[in-house]
Amino acid sequence: MAKLSEARAKELKESMKAAGINFVVYVPDSWNHLLQREIIEDKAFFSVGMVREDEAMATAMGAFMGGKNSAIIMEASGLGLSGLALGWLAGMERMALLIVSSHTATLGESTDYHAVTRTVAFPMLAALNVQSVVLDDIKDARRVFKQAQMTVKGQVVPVCISLPRHILWEDEGS
């Protein structure tokens, strides 16, 4: 039986902290909820829960403009709601943030109802010129988060780190 990995959620949180992230907006998500809980419980982060991904993204970008190192934790299918925020605020107004999303266009998605992620979310990121990387090995998390945050701050652009199933879940016997 597969279960979400508490150890990997802690490592992801520590990776975000090591990258300097200090303001996190999240939209509740069944795959990211352990990471979200880790963030909420850690006083090094100011965290805000929201209901809509586009509003959450705008809030995180506003925090970036206010001097915070901001990130959003969300399900990738919510990227479809965020096109205007990404296109207008990031593209035209040069607001930035780190996007941390579950459900990737990689192998290992076990349900058909996440197909929208493959058909909409990642092509939309590419169309909006948002750099996106899939974290394929938890051992690379600190490096990937640090490099992504360097890009967010240095180039003042959004960057997306996608978390595939094998990063968030433990399968029995693995």
Side-chain angles (χ1 to χ4, degrees), residues 78-131:
L79 289 165
L81 291 173
S82 304
L84 188 57
L86 283 170
W88 181 258
L89 297 177
M92 301 297 289
E93 300 296 328
R94 294 197 39 89
M95 295 181 174
L97 80 159
L98 178 62
I99 303 164
V100 180
S101 69
S102 62
H103 304 299
T104 68
T106 62
L107 298 176
E109 286 286 340
S110 58
T111 54
D112 63 346
Y113 52 83
H114 291 134
V116 70
T117 302
R118 287 190 247 319
T119 58
V120 174
F122 296 96
M124 188 190 79
L125 288 175
L128 291 170
N129 202 27
V130 174
Q131 197 169 356

Side-chain angles (χ1 to χ4, degrees), residues 16-36:
M16 292 176 74
K17 190 188 301 186
I21 301 297
N22 56 16
F23 188 95
V24 177
V25 181
Y26 62 92
V27 180
D29 169 17
S30 61
W31 280 32
N32 282 321
H33 81 88
L34 291 180
L35 173 56
Q36 292 166 349

Side-chain angles (χ1 to χ4, degrees), residues 31-68:
W31 280 32
N32 282 321
H33 81 88
L34 291 180
L35 173 56
Q36 292 166 349
R37 185 184 72 202
E38 287 289 328
I39 296 288
I40 292 165
E41 292 175 354
D42 191 321
K43 299 302 178 206
F45 298 95
F46 183 88
S47 61
V48 180
M50 310 270 308
V51 245
R52 288 182 49 111
E53 288 85 351
D54 54 345
E55 291 175 346
M57 197 167 285
T59 299
M61 285 191 260
F64 174 84
M65 295 302 289
K68 299 293 185 186

Side-chain angles (χ1 to χ4, degrees), residues 107-172:
L107 298 176
E109 286 286 340
S110 58
T111 54
D112 63 346
Y113 52 83
H114 291 134
V116 70
T117 302
R118 287 190 247 319
T119 58
V120 174
F122 296 96
M124 188 190 79
L125 288 175
L128 291 170
N129 202 27
V130 174
Q131 197 169 356
S132 180
V133 63
V134 175
L135 180 63
D136 192 52
D137 190 330
I138 195 67
K139 292 181 226 158
D140 296 329
R142 293 193 191 219
R143 177 185 53 79
V144 169
F145 275 90
K146 181 178 179 184
Q147 290 175 339
Q149 184 59 16
M150 288 172 60
T151 302
V152 168
K153 288 188 73 160
Q155 296 181 22
V156 192
V157 294
V159 172
C160 181
I161 298 175
S162 296
L163 308 175
R165 184 183 188 284
H166 68 271
I167 293 294
L168 297 168
W169 291 81
E170 295 175 350
D171 289 321
E172 192 172 302

